[in-house]
Amino acid sequence: MPYTHHLRVHPSAERLDRTDQLAWKLAELATDDVAVTPEVVDMVVNRVIDNAAVAAASLTRGPAVAARGQALAHPYAPGAAVVGCGLATRTSPEWAAWANGVAVRELDFHDTFLAAEYSHPGDNIPPVLAVAQHAGADGAALVRGIVTGYEVQVDLVRAISLHRHKIDHVAHLGPSAAAGIGTLLGLDTETVFQAIGQALHTTTATRQSRKGQISTWKAYAPAFAGKAAVEAVDRAMRGQTSPEPIYEGEDGVVAWLLDGPDAAYDVVLPGPGEPRAAILDTYTKEHSAEYQSQALIDLARALHAEHPWLADPENVAGVVIHTSHHTHHVIGSGANDPQKYDPAASRETLDHSVPYIFAVALQDGGWHHVGSYTPERAARPDTVALWRKITTAEDPEWTRRYHSTDPAEKAFGGRVEIELADGGRLVREIAVADAHPLGARPFGREQYVRKFRTLADGVLEEAEIERFLGLAERLPELTAAEVRELTVVARPGLLDSVPTPTGLFELGRPAPPADVEGEGFTMHEASEGEDA
């Protein structure tokens, strides 16, 4: 039976026993040796494939290039693989987690879970996988670690809102990744408890990273949490302790960063011996855009097919998207960010502008992870004219459905009302994205593999695509040696086609020639003015 942990603030004078602290309960979850069900194993495989797909597609993008350069400055043996690099290239696990986490997150194109908070639970995979490769863990242990990471993050996201207090969602990722690594390594409860506390303490930051002109840091934020989790586990294994009680203390996270000293939350966790199935409640993306826009892209795609003349802004007087509080205030006009209507805005900002996304999808009848974001596409006059006719509005019913705990009722879409120039009116609504488990075309293994092949096209050689899929689809059976090869290697010359910017780590030592591998790692020369 599920266990409900009642979380509240405790003054220091109460001397809350650590076994009654949330971090301890999460550590107990991580150290409870529970068999993984076949359905959960199957979904873990899907998400490993999904992460590899979106990482491959981002290999030549600025944030991924810069993060990879940082990681390659830290060669290590045995170490972990850096996505895109050769199989012999190894860096220390925390830096591999960093580079791979940025590559996975850069395109905003992998899985999601939305509840009281929102999250991308697939962000747990890079740090857990990096430690598995470094430590020589087999596929079965890797699966268990990933399952724990998903379980802890989803359970926290269901119960505790961070965004309400302008705290970035990766504050739930630090603890979940630390817990997942603890499961992977078979650590004791005390050690995992200390690692969770340190990981939480070091990964709380404000949501300004997702406000206004959104920067490249958006891709780095979860990678930073994953790297911090690896380092926290290392310290805890060395006997180092964490602030305690980290959640419940009178100067702790709940009292000062969240709902305050009188706050209370009920965190529902699986009971002892109960299967960890939270990953089954998460969902991936068919489109490279913020999750709340997924269903609206599908709706725009359908409207384009039915009424292609809607692409002409002269035919449209105005569009109002009635949706949830979160969608309206985070990616809609309710954010009051003028940048969301700026044709010169960054890709990261356009990714968080549902008026822009809906306009482009309505005109193009679809969405492309590169083409839909180019400066030329954003600045097209007819697009700008249509875009600026689109606003959002909060609808209490859509907000209620967004927060519903009933999967059949939970919704992330909205109702679109289009006022036509001739006085007519079109109204359409959609509850969930087509790719959602309850959507029109739910993603299964076939769709995950197709997404991987599509995004890997031109990035990986065909033999490499088959090699990776052959490993991923046997994930729970992999040996430690095979886990060390669970990465994707870019086609020859691809990584060298994008100069790596230099930074602090290259100071004080001569750079090797371009394209030269040595000491288990590859370095690339940088050119002046490189845009990272």
Side-chain angles (χ1 to χ4, degrees):
M1 291 292 292
Y3 163 78
T4 300
H5 177 78
H6 186 67
L7 173 65
R8 68 173 179 84
V9 175
H10 290 257
S12 297
E14 289 187 10
R15 296 184 179 275
L16 179 65
D17 192 281
R18 66 174 39 166
T19 61
D20 293 324
Q21 297 175 27
L22 176 59
W24 186 271
K25 299 302 181 184
L26 299 179
E28 286 184 324
L29 184 160
T31 54
D32 186 12
D33 189 12
V34 178
V36 182
T37 67
E39 295 83 3
V40 169
V41 171
D42 188 63
M43 190 58 75
V44 171
V45 171
N46 289 342
R47 300 309 167 76
V48 168
I49 293 171
D50 201 43
N51 269 23
V54 297
S58 75
L59 287 179
T60 59
R61 298 180 63 83
V65 173
R68 186 168 63 244
Q70 290 181 301
L72 293 175
H74 296 83
Y76 201 79
V82 176
V83 66
C85 298
L87 295 179
T89 301
R90 298 283 145 167
T91 71
S92 58
E94 78 278 17
W95 283 103
W98 168 256
N100 299 342
V102 172
V104 165
R105 188 70 183 91
E106 159 62 8
L107 285 171
D108 204 346
F109 205 176
H110 64 324
D111 67 11
T112 303
F113 180 73
L114 304 170
E117 185 49 45
Y118 54 94
S119 63
H120 299 281
D123 292 333
N124 285 280
I125 295 175
V128 176
L129 175 57
V131 173
Q133 292 177 334
H134 170 70
D138 62 17
L142 174 59
V143 168
R144 290 195 300 273
I146 292 171
V147 168
T148 291
Y150 270 81
E151 184 68 46
V152 169
Q153 187 164 27
V154 168
D155 293 344
L156 291 173
V157 167
R158 289 189 205 276
I160 303 172
S161 174
L162 301 170
H163 69 84
R164 182 185 307 152
H165 306 285
K166 312 307 179 186
I167 300 299
D168 194 17
H169 68 76
V170 301
H172 286 330
L173 175 61
S176 66
I181 295 168
T183 296
L184 168 82
L185 297 177
L187 301 179
D188 61 88
T189 303
E190 165 73 15
T191 302
V192 179
F193 165 74
Q194 299 294 353
I196 287 172
Q198 291 187 30
L200 173 60
H201 187 65
T202 57
T203 56
T204 53
T206 70
R207 281 197 75 258
Q208 189 59 41
S209 59
R210 301 169 200 283
K211 181 73 174 172
Q213 180 74 359
I214 302 176
S215 71
T216 58
W217 178 254
K218 184 169 76 74
Y220 286 91
F224 180 84
K227 180 175 181 287
V230 176
E231 294 168 338
V233 170
D234 178 78
R235 287 189 296 270
M237 290 174 69
R238 298 174 190 272
Q240 302 309 295
T241 56
S242 65
E244 158 183 5
I246 188 64
Y247 286 101
E248 300 91 344
E250 61 184 0
D251 284 348
V253 171
V254 172
W256 283 97
L257 299 182
L258 302 182
D259 282 304
D262 297 323
Y265 308 90
D266 285 329
V267 183
V268 180
L269 305 171
E274 186 177 1
R276 281 62 168 130
I279 191 173
L280 300 179
D281 292 333
T282 64
Y283 21 82
T284 195
K285 296 178 177 180
E286 183 178 356
H287 315 292
S288 177
E290 217 275 352
Y291 193 82
Q292 285 96 303
S293 65
Q294 298 291 301
L296 293 166
I297 291 173
D298 293 332
L299 180 56
R301 177 169 59 181
L303 283 169
H304 175 89
E306 296 170 21
H307 309 289
W309 45 269
L310 288 172
D312 185 349
E314 294 297 320
N315 295 325
V316 177
V319 179
V320 180
I321 302 171
H322 297 267
T323 186
S324 68
H325 175 277
H326 191 82
T327 304
H328 173 56
H329 286 282
V330 173
I331 64 172
S333 55
N336 295 316
D337 292 340
Q339 295 88 351
K340 292 192 189 304
Y341 289 91
D342 181 2
S346 65
R347 182 198 190 278
E348 293 84 359
T349 304
L350 297 176
D351 166 74
H352 277 55
S353 170
V354 78
Y356 173 75
I357 291 168
F358 192 81
V360 172
L362 188 60
Q363 289 187 323
D364 295 355
W367 194 259
H368 190 269
H369 65 282
V370 176
S372 296
Y373 290 108
T374 64
E376 297 78 15
R377 185 67 194 82
R380 217 172 78 184
D382 64 324
T383 298
V384 175
L386 180 59
W387 177 8
R388 291 178 175 169
K389 294 181 179 183
I390 301 172
T391 59
T392 61
E394 182 185 355
D395 184 312
E397 177 60 13
W398 286 101
T399 297
R400 186 192 67 78
R401 291 188 66 182
Y402 181 100
H403 292 290
S404 175
T405 57
D406 180 357
E409 187 179 52
K410 194 172 182 65
F412 309 111
R415 183 180 73 259
V416 175
E417 297 181 357
I418 304 175
E419 302 295 335
L420 304 175
D422 64 6
R425 193 165 180 262
L426 281 173
V427 180
R428 295 286 190 278
E429 68 176 48
I430 186 169
V432 294
D434 291 350
H436 187 275
L438 299 178
R441 294 184 296 277
F443 260 42
R445 177 63 54 77
E446 178 185 353
Q447 287 73 32
Y448 283 99
V449 170
R450 183 186 305 135
K451 180 177 174 180
F452 175 73
R453 291 185 182 279
T454 298
L455 295 182
D457 184 38
V459 178
L460 312 181
E461 293 188 309
E462 185 60 32
E464 176 63 7
I465 291 173
E466 298 304 325
R467 183 195 70 82
F468 174 78
L469 288 174
L471 288 174
E473 295 193 307
R474 294 191 298 108
L475 183 59
E477 305 159 12
L478 297 184
T479 65
E482 289 173 319
V483 167
R484 286 200 164 107
E485 296 185 348
L486 190 63
T487 185
V488 294
V489 179
R491 63 172 174 78
L494 179 71
L495 301 188
D496 296 323
S497 70
V498 185
T500 301
T502 56
L504 172 68
F505 298 131
E506 287 77 26
L507 296 180
R509 70 179 189 194
D515 304 330
V516 173
E517 289 202 12
E519 304 301 323
F521 71 105
T522 304
M523 293 292 294
H524 304 277
E525 289 184 336
S527 62
E528 283 192 32
E530 164 65 14
D531 180 6

